[in-house]
Amino acid sequence: MPKSKVRKKAVYTAPADRRTPVKVKAAGPSHPIYVGVMLGMMLLGLAWLVVNYIAGEDIPFMADLENWNFAIGFALMIGGLLMTMRWR
């Protein structure tokens, strides 16, 4: 059986005029208040859920919120976790 012909492709190189180097500023560490707010939100969300489980029926405004207590607690914790992505 005869051998098939091999196609040769030219190696792609990006045009030089479109590749301008961009200098990126070196970001410093996060402010201590940012870290405090981040940890505070996570702990506040956890505390909200723990208080809801232990004494949610005895606290009037928590009893009125019913299942929204879970949304509030998890929203606070997720907000703190999302803040960790920008923490340096």
Side-chain angles (χ1 to χ4, degrees):
M1 179 174 268
K3 186 178 177 183
S4 63
K5 294 181 181 180
V6 179
R7 295 181 189 168
K8 294 182 181 178
K9 292 184 179 181
V11 177
Y12 175 77
T13 55
D17 60 340
R18 294 185 184 184
R19 296 190 66 195
T20 56
V22 177
K23 292 184 180 181
V24 178
K25 288 184 182 179
S30 297
H31 199 276
I33 293 176
Y34 185 85
V35 177
V37 170
M38 175 184 70
L39 293 174
M41 284 182 66
M42 287 189 279
L43 290 174
L44 183 63
L46 180 64
W48 189 280
L49 291 175
V50 169
V51 169
N52 179 43
Y53 273 116
I54 293 174
E57 297 172 357
D58 298 334
I59 302 172
F61 73 91
M62 283 187 122
D64 293 339
L65 289 174
E66 296 175 356
N67 287 334
W68 283 102
N69 287 309
F70 297 111
I72 293 169
F74 283 119
L76 287 169
M77 288 193 299
I78 290 171
L81 287 173
L82 289 175
M83 288 178 73
T84 60
M85 289 192 274
R86 298 198 39 102
W87 180 32
R88 297 180 303 265

